[in-house]
Amino acid sequence: MAAKTVKTLLGNAGVLVNGPNPWDIQVHDERWYKRVYNQRNLGLGKSYMDGWWDCKRLDVMFFKLLQAGLHHNTPKRLRYLLKLLPGMLFNLQTIMRSRIIAEKHYDLGNDLFFSFLDPYLQYSCAFFQDTQDLNEAQHNKLQLISSKLNLQQKDHLLDIGCGWGGLLKHITERHACQGTGVNISSRQLNHARKFCKELPVKFKDQDYRFITGQYEKIVSVGMFEHVGHKNYRTFMKVVHDCLKKEGIFLLHTIGANRSKRSCDPWITKYIFPNGMLPSIMQISKSIEGLFIIEDVHNLGPNYDKTLMAWNNNFQQTWPDLSKNNPKYDKRFKRMWEYYLLSCAGAFRARDIQVWQLVMTHDHPGRKQPECRF
């Protein structure tokens, strides 16, 4: 029954088992059918890591599955639903639990991330306007953010979730403003301090809930996905309290087309523990009475290209990466490429988005900010 059901569902999306196309699945272990039937997304990812199946074009396979709406049409099994309940019922992103994502993902090793990122170490969606080159596209993204924030020399920019410091380095080099970065990843912060050593930038090992001070501009890129639906309002209140009256806030986040209170079980278990993608409705509800949305920009299709470029870099650098660090074994490689390529397919199918939202204080007489959208 499991084999027949799985084959039928995949076939409805144009993906064959042991078929001739590069996006078809080649099964090496017959237990795969039951595992996928029972565990759905989690079983599909785990069995790939275990080498039970292969696919030459994982990105195309996921694009086809998601474009066909397979994730909405498959029967929901009780055990699968139970894995989603914690995110619905509990706050998985409390202060006590906030550092789990840093320990499990961002502190994996700078050598891993540096093997596929651009010189400014941007681990977020690039902007492929008038270029197909990743480094140029990431530079475009940083320039786009600078323009939207209308950065001036007098400004002090707060970067919430500052990564390895690349955004602050780029901006302070070009605009001579001050910068403060807040992060909870020790490895990222250690590098950021060295990366921006000669610049007017300081970094704090701090949860966003403890941020104080006043800033002309605030930015957060690729961090809101770790906040969680029970904390969206708290996050926005912190930003509101720290942003000066005539200031500008830019939020750059991956987002879901539908409001959710949980994330894909495989991504949660192996890549981003306790992650959660906000919808536009959830974001707008969290800022009501606090901010005016000045601009919304969807960069989603650019993330497909970004992820494909990352995977290409990762594959090219893998021999040296794995040779120099034994923890990067064959199973890790399969996990990482599955992550990058499945996400590329998801963005290509428009199943998930990337938004940049420009916001200002919601107060009487607020003038529209002088910035280029």
Side-chain angles (χ1 to χ4, degrees):
M1 178 182 174
K4 183 179 179 180
T5 301
V6 170
K7 286 181 178 180
T8 299
L9 288 169
L10 293 173
N12 290 339
V15 176
L16 303 177
V17 174
N18 300 325
N21 303 302
W23 56 81
D24 290 333
I25 290 174
Q26 308 301 319
V27 175
H28 308 311
D29 191 315
E30 292 299 309
R31 293 175 295 173
W32 177 80
Y33 297 102
K34 190 171 183 180
R35 195 172 189 181
V36 172
Y37 181 76
N38 288 329
Q39 299 181 1
R40 296 180 61 194
N41 303 33
L42 182 60
L44 188 66
K46 287 171 66 176
S47 60
Y48 184 82
M49 292 166 59
D50 292 338
W52 288 15
W53 64 281
D54 279 299
C55 177
K56 291 181 179 178
R57 289 297 304 271
L58 280 171
D59 58 309
V60 180
M61 185 205 78
F62 276 99
F63 164 71
K64 286 181 170 292
L65 297 183
L66 293 169
Q67 189 182 47
L70 202 64
H71 53 314
H72 297 311
N73 300 329
T74 51
K76 291 181 171 60
R77 300 180 64 81
L78 180 59
R79 278 184 293 177
Y80 177 83
L81 290 175
L82 289 175
K83 294 180 183 297
L84 306 181
L85 279 178
M88 299 178 185
L89 301 177
F90 307 111
N91 185 352
L92 300 180
Q93 299 84 13
T94 61
I95 294 171
M96 292 291 292
R97 294 174 56 87
S98 65
R99 293 181 183 268
I100 292 175
I101 180 60
E103 295 165 0
K104 299 293 185 181
H105 187 82
Y106 295 103
D107 286 342
L108 273 172
N110 286 345
D111 55 344
L112 167 64
F113 294 101
F114 296 176
S115 73
F116 62 86
L117 297 180
D118 65 291
Y120 278 95
L121 306 173
Q122 293 300 289
Y123 191 32
S124 58
C125 181
F127 186 39
F128 286 85
Q129 185 177 54
D130 303 323
T131 185
Q132 296 301 315
D133 180 76
L134 175 66
N135 295 351
E136 291 180 3
Q138 290 292 14
H139 181 269
N140 287 347
K141 187 267 298 294
L142 294 170
Q143 290 288 88
L144 184 68
I145 290 173
S146 298
S147 296
K148 290 179 178 180
L149 287 170
N150 188 28
L151 286 162
Q152 307 294 319
Q153 186 172 350
K154 63 178 178 56
D155 289 339
H156 191 165
L157 172 67
L158 170 67
D159 183 352
I160 304 176
C162 59
W164 292 275
L167 185 149
L168 286 171
K169 180 178 175 64
H170 181 278
I171 283 175
T172 54
E173 283 176 339
R174 286 158 178 77
H175 299 279
C177 57
Q178 295 184 66
T180 294
V182 174
N183 199 345
I184 56 172
S185 165
S186 59
R187 292 199 176 187
Q188 286 189 330
L189 284 169
N190 288 340
H191 181 84
R193 292 187 176 106
K194 297 174 184 175
F195 203 34
C196 301
K197 186 177 180 180
E198 306 301 326
L199 296 167
V201 179
K202 59 183 177 180
F203 294 95
K204 297 180 180 180
D205 185 343
Q206 189 176 55
D207 185 277
Y208 71 88
R209 282 161 281 216
F210 298 118
I211 297 174
T212 58
Q214 289 283 288
Y215 302 88
E216 284 80 13
K217 309 290 167 60
I218 299 178
V219 67
S220 183
V221 178
M223 179 270 180
F224 197 64
E225 300 91 330
H226 306 303
V227 170
H229 72 101
K230 290 184 179 293
N231 306 303
Y232 291 156
R233 182 70 174 181
T234 299
F235 177 92
M236 293 302 179
K237 284 182 176 178
V238 169
V239 176
H240 180 269
D241 291 345
C242 291
L243 185 67
K244 290 188 176 181
K245 188 175 181 181
E246 300 302 320
I248 300 173
F249 168 47
L250 187 146
L251 177 69
H252 175 122
T253 182
I254 301 173
N257 295 329
R258 306 179 186 186
S259 296
K260 299 178 180 179
R261 293 180 174 83
S262 59
C263 195
D264 177 89
W266 185 85
I267 290 287
T268 298
K269 182 175 178 64
Y270 291 102
I271 306 298
F272 295 117
N274 306 324
M276 203 170 292
L277 302 184
S279 68
I280 284 290
M281 185 179 77
Q282 288 171 320
I283 293 174
S284 62
K285 186 177 180 181
S286 72
I287 67 167
E288 191 169 324
L290 300 175
F291 292 109
I292 296 170
I293 297 179
E294 303 286 356
D295 182 71
V296 180
H297 185 180
N298 191 342
L299 299 175
N302 290 271
Y303 221 152
D304 175 11
K305 295 181 179 180
T306 304
L307 287 154
M308 294 302 292
W310 286 347
N311 182 65
N312 183 59
N313 291 345
F314 173 70
Q315 299 293 345
Q316 288 185 21
T317 58
W318 174 255
D320 288 336
L321 185 67
S322 58
K323 182 174 64 177
N324 296 327
N325 196 328
K327 74 177 180 179
Y328 302 131
D329 57 14
K330 184 178 179 180
R331 193 168 192 267
F332 182 93
K333 180 178 184 289
R334 292 178 70 87
M335 177 188 76
W336 205 258
E337 67 191 14
Y338 186 90
Y339 150 54
L340 295 176
L341 293 173
S342 63
C343 289
F347 282 105
R348 196 175 308 163
R350 308 307 308 280
D351 187 62
I352 46 180
Q353 313 299 331
V354 179
W355 298 306
Q356 282 189 356
L357 293 92
V358 178
M359 306 181 219
T360 59
H361 273 293
D362 182 3
H363 64 78
R366 178 66 169 100
K367 295 180 181 179
Q368 188 175 32
E370 294 182 8
C371 48
R372 289 176 286 172
F373 296 135

